[in-house]
Amino acid sequence: MMAAVSSNVASKVAKVQVRKETDVERMEREDAARHAQQEQQMIMRHGGEVDPGADEDEAPQPAQPARPQRVVAQPIRRESPKIGRNDPCPCGSGLKFKKCHGAALEDEGDGGDDANA
């Protein structure tokens, strides 16, 4: 095992290439430019819009699409009080909630509030 580690380290050291800081910065700029180009290509466009590479004389410039309004989701509120696991089941079976309808919640993997109380 020690010989394998030593040979692995020796092979990695032999393959290391020292680069100048300017080369590293140039490579980072190229990567950033490539990432920006890929990101621009991923932006979805409306079907009626003109491709950015098309001649501007041939088609009118499309209007900027309106940004969608952010909708703030309201928290879900229960209308009835929370049922505890050891409370009697509201169906009237006489069993504890965890043995009656609460067992079905745990089987589904729902992780609902009723099953975790």
Side-chain angles (χ1 to χ4, degrees):
M1 183 171 152
M2 294 296 289
V5 170
S6 295
S7 97
N8 193 6
V9 168
S11 67
K12 298 288 185 193
V13 168
K15 293 179 182 177
V16 169
Q17 296 178 0
V18 179
R19 301 205 181 205
K20 294 181 181 177
E21 193 170 326
T22 55
D23 292 340
V24 173
E25 290 173 357
R26 180 184 48 81
M27 290 182 354
E28 288 176 351
R29 282 193 305 269
E30 289 172 358
D31 286 343
R34 185 172 37 250
H35 177 71
Q37 181 183 12
Q38 289 174 348
E39 188 177 69
Q40 183 64 29
Q41 290 174 350
M42 284 190 259
I43 295 175
M44 296 179 65
R45 292 188 294 269
H46 186 269
E49 292 182 8
V50 177
D51 288 335
D55 291 338
E56 294 178 14
D57 300 340
E58 296 177 7
Q61 287 287 9
Q64 290 292 333
R67 293 187 179 211
Q69 296 286 335
R70 285 195 170 191
V71 178
V72 178
Q74 296 295 324
I76 298 173
R77 306 268 183 211
R78 35 177 101 82
E79 295 176 7
S80 60
K82 183 174 179 176
I83 302 169
R85 287 175 45 89
N86 291 321
D87 292 342
C89 190
C91 73
S93 66
L95 296 173
K96 291 183 178 181
F97 180 74
K98 66 181 178 184
K99 295 286 185 179
C100 191
H101 284 87
L105 292 176
E106 290 177 2
D107 289 344
E108 291 175 2
D110 182 32
D113 292 332
D114 296 340
N116 292 332

